[in-house]
Amino acid sequence: MTTIAVLGNGRVGGNLATALTRAGHEVTVADRTPGAAADAARSARIVINATPGAGSLERLTALRAELSDTILVDVSNATLDGPDGLPADLIYPGSSLAEQLQEALPDTHVVKTLNTMLFPVMTAPATLAQTPTAFLSGEDPQAKQTVHALLTDLGWHEEWITDLGGIRTARATEAAILFVPHMIRSNGFTPFAISIAR
């Protein structure tokens, strides 16, 4: 059992919190109440960033002390939305939210994952007709191993998880968000994920 704080209580955060609780972890969900995020992060070994990516950097930088020596699992994508509310462009072209977070929080172990799929797939990967891929990006091998184990608790098979390397590789997975609006306009909100065929 691991103590986990989920920052963000929308569809993504709620979905992850429910699944991780079901897997036997002790999970706290922080809403937007003042001080809730700090309280939750302070007592957690793993913190999951499920807040909207556009405001994540500012929100999490304010928790620098609480996130010290903590694993921060970043599942968000920082995008500018188009007129229809769907992602239209990246906020950090030539970089990534994960890199910005790691630079702003040097004492925190940032691991990027689960950001290349619609949220239902994060906790139910086996429901897709084809095998999805979950990617890991981060500087700390031990932190990535811990997050890898968390993914298996969520139903991800060993062979479905790919470690891409350092935090810079998050640029590639975050750029995959640009597929999303086109997929949604084409197929609606049917669950899908990026998959590497081998």
Side-chain angles (χ1 to χ4, degrees):
M1 183 189 75
T2 304
T3 52
I4 300 171
V6 178
L7 307 185
N9 62 346
R11 291 178 299 180
V12 175
N15 186 43
L16 287 167
T18 299
L20 290 167
T21 300
R22 195 183 300 127
H25 298 286
E26 184 181 322
V27 182
T28 303
V29 180
D31 57 20
R32 290 177 179 266
T33 306
D39 290 343
R42 195 176 292 116
S43 59
R45 179 170 176 240
I46 298 172
V47 175
I48 298 176
N49 175 38
T51 66
S56 289
L57 184 59
E58 181 182 358
R59 215 173 270 121
L60 293 169
T61 301
L63 302 175
R64 185 181 284 108
E66 290 83 0
L67 292 172
S68 179
D69 202 30
T70 297
I71 296 171
L72 177 62
V73 182
D74 180 33
V75 303
S76 294
N77 289 300
T79 59
L80 298 167
D81 290 341
D84 58 1
L86 295 176
D89 212 345
L90 301 174
I91 289 178
Y92 305 109
S95 182
S96 63
L97 172 58
E99 287 173 88
Q100 298 294 316
L101 288 169
Q102 187 61 85
E103 185 176 343
L105 302 165
D107 297 324
T108 302
H109 310 296
V110 179
V111 179
K112 189 81 182 191
T113 193
L114 295 179
N115 63 308
T116 56
M117 61 202 69
L118 286 190
F119 78 91
V121 182
M122 295 178 176
T123 58
T127 59
L128 296 184
Q130 284 86 34
T131 300
T133 304
F135 302 99
L136 293 170
S137 299
E139 295 301 319
D140 187 279
Q142 193 171 358
K144 283 193 287 186
Q145 193 55 43
T146 299
V147 177
H148 188 289
L150 214 58
L151 292 179
T152 62
D153 287 347
L154 292 173
W156 289 86
H157 295 194
E158 188 81 24
E159 62 273 18
W160 299 356
I161 304 169
T162 298
D163 185 343
L164 294 178
I167 201 68
R168 188 182 170 101
T169 63
R171 296 180 185 190
T173 61
E174 288 191 25
I177 190 67
L178 299 178
F179 276 104
V180 171
H182 308 299
M183 288 293 294
I184 289 173
R185 290 184 194 111
S186 176
N187 300 297
F189 284 89
T190 305
F192 69 87
I194 301 295
S195 178
I196 300 300
R198 292 184 176 89

